[in-house]
Amino acid sequence: MMQRFSLTMSILLLFAGWNGVILAEENNDPLVFDDVPLKEMVQHPSWFKESFLDLQEDLQDALSSGKKGIIVYFGQKRCPYCRQLMEVNFKQPDIVKYTRDNFDVIGIDIWSPEEVTDPQGNVMSQRDYALKMGTNFTPSLVFYDSSGKVAMRLRGYYPPYQFRAALEYVVGEHYKREPFHVYLARGDSTLRFEAEDMVEEDFFLPPPYNLDRSRFEGELPLAVFFETGNCHACDILHTQLLRQPAIQNLFNAFESVQLNMHADDPVITPGGKKSSAKEWANSLGVFYAPTLIFFDERGKEIIRVDSVVHFFRLRSVLNYVLSKGYLIHPSFQLWRSANRDS
């Protein structure tokens, strides 16, 4: 019988701590790793499909095998976040079995000039396909359902507990009824935890949170930190990444605010709308804590980081925003290609 995950179990695992249930090796934290570009190339698991990169055919093959659809993996050869997906998530026997039972996985190199045919029959290079799908961060995973439509996107690396929930979200066809952040919130509502304070930074602006830039431009770009209490990934952000002088110096060139994504704290959004932190987070589709969203001086969203992030990736994003690279390269991926040393 095919193994199934439950939403409640996925959420419990999210808060379970690092006790060997989540990881093959005890005391190994999937959120802690060095994001320096790798010396050795990332290797795909042997069970990835050997594809001729005609995704229409790949989808039909998967459906003929009784699967739900396909997952297209967008990666880079020396990407440490991609290695984390391969060496942590795809070394979990239950994740591997559940993925293989329900999907065929096809690998795409985001810089390759080789051609690929997407599920709609469009032919382009793998590089152009990656740009079309907005894969700002690798690894990116795009889930296609039986009709060839996008059911789910994951941009960046997510640890096993979040990855399990995403798999179940697609397999259970919850994407047809509700966004992913609503799906996760339903699981959270069954759990009870005592509220805990969030870690604050000296550069965070205090309340009241009037972020309106619709009438008058801001003097600096805006960084909004959506976090929660009792958040392991948030703690790592503050105690490791934000302690780096280079990162702190870059954030000094921003206006930065910290919001509890589950709280009713009042906020006026960059677009001038009165809301609460919770309502605004929901309208933005925020589901991962911490999520960092960057806005320009006029209040337009530039880019968001809503997956695991470490020094080199965050530094690049901050430089992308501060240098206004988005005015020349709307794609962060293209900007990074043109600014390898940024």
Side-chain angles (χ1 to χ4, degrees):
M1 179 180 296
M2 182 180 68
Q3 180 177 355
R4 291 181 55 84
F5 299 137
S6 70
L7 174 61
T8 301
M9 179 58 70
S10 297
I11 300 300
L12 282 170
L13 286 171
L14 192 156
F15 294 101
W18 320 114
N19 59 6
V21 174
I22 295 175
L23 297 173
E25 294 182 13
E26 190 171 357
N27 298 323
N28 186 18
D29 190 333
L31 296 176
V32 178
F33 57 92
D34 193 338
D35 72 339
V36 175
L38 303 175
K39 294 181 179 180
E40 297 182 356
M41 292 191 296
V42 175
Q43 300 297 319
H44 297 169
S46 61
W47 49 267
F48 269 32
K49 182 174 182 181
E50 293 187 9
S51 170
F52 293 106
L53 297 182
D54 185 331
L55 300 183
Q56 287 185 316
E57 291 185 0
D58 290 331
L59 179 58
Q60 290 307 310
D61 289 347
L63 298 179
S64 297
S65 300
K67 300 182 180 182
K68 295 288 186 178
I70 59 174
I71 300 174
V72 180
Y73 158 83
F74 295 85
Q76 300 181 75
K77 295 178 179 178
R78 303 185 188 278
C79 165
Y81 297 87
C82 301
R83 179 184 62 183
Q84 200 73 356
L85 175 67
M86 302 304 168
E87 296 298 322
V88 177
N89 297 28
F90 286 152
K91 290 293 178 70
Q92 304 290 311
D94 56 341
I95 286 180
V96 172
K97 183 179 188 306
Y98 196 71
T99 302
R100 296 185 68 182
D101 283 348
N102 291 286
F103 303 98
D104 282 336
V105 183
I106 298 96
I108 293 291
D109 182 339
I110 68 167
W111 303 115
S112 174
E114 295 185 11
E115 286 189 345
V116 58
T117 302
D118 73 10
Q120 289 71 47
N122 303 304
V123 180
M124 66 200 84
S125 69
Q126 294 182 53
R127 178 176 179 271
D128 287 343
Y129 180 38
L131 290 171
K132 176 184 176 182
M133 301 310 296
T135 57
N136 276 329
F137 304 120
T138 53
S140 282
L141 300 175
V142 177
F143 296 72
Y144 287 97
D145 67 12
S146 59
S147 66
K149 294 182 179 179
V150 175
M152 176 75 175
R153 302 171 191 256
L154 292 177
R155 295 185 180 93
Y157 172 68
Y158 295 89
Y161 48 79
Q162 211 111 29
F163 191 75
R164 287 184 176 98
L167 288 168
E168 187 196 34
Y169 174 72
V170 177
V171 172
E173 298 186 348
H174 299 279
Y175 62 90
K176 295 181 178 179
R177 299 182 288 275
E178 58 190 355
F180 188 48
H181 71 274
V182 174
Y183 173 76
L184 288 179
R186 285 198 298 105
D188 283 341
S189 67
T190 64
L191 305 175
R192 296 291 181 267
F193 297 98
E194 293 184 5
E196 293 189 7
D197 292 336
M198 299 184 297
V199 180
E200 298 181 359
E201 300 294 337
D202 292 339
F203 58 79
F204 287 157
L205 297 177
Y209 302 117
N210 185 350
L211 310 180
D212 185 9
R213 296 175 171 220
S214 63
R215 294 180 297 170
F216 303 100
E217 288 188 21
E219 295 183 0
L220 301 172
L222 173 67
V224 180
F225 289 65
F226 285 100
E227 303 184 46
T228 65
N230 195 29
C231 168
H232 179 55
C234 302
D235 291 342
I236 291 175
L237 173 70
H238 289 280
T239 61
Q240 298 185 21
L241 192 52
L242 295 181
R243 299 281 72 80
Q244 298 289 333
I247 298 296
Q248 289 181 343
N249 290 337
L250 289 170
F251 271 115
N252 288 333
F254 287 83
E255 291 183 353
S256 300
V257 298
Q258 180 190 51
L259 299 175
N260 187 324
M261 58 190 280
H262 298 312
D264 294 320
D265 299 330
V267 59
I268 300 179
T269 71
K273 181 181 178 181
K274 292 183 178 180
S275 186
S276 68
K278 179 180 179 180
E279 290 171 346
W280 190 29
N282 286 339
S283 70
L284 292 169
V286 173
F287 67 88
Y288 180 79
T291 284
L292 281 62
I293 304 184
F294 298 89
F295 299 86
D296 69 11
E297 289 80 357
R298 294 174 179 267
K300 180 181 178 182
E301 181 178 335
I302 301 169
I303 192 171
R304 66 177 64 184
V305 180
D306 55 357
S307 54
V308 177
V309 66
H310 289 296
F311 178 84
F312 284 95
R313 177 165 291 180
L314 182 57
R315 187 184 65 173
S316 291
V317 170
L318 295 176
N319 282 324
Y320 175 65
V321 175
L322 292 175
S323 70
K324 297 188 183 297
Y326 54 89
L327 297 178
I328 301 174
H329 297 292
S331 164
F332 176 73
Q333 177 182 329
L334 285 181
W335 180 84
R336 283 289 295 124
S337 177
N339 297 269
R340 289 295 188 182
D341 295 329
S342 298

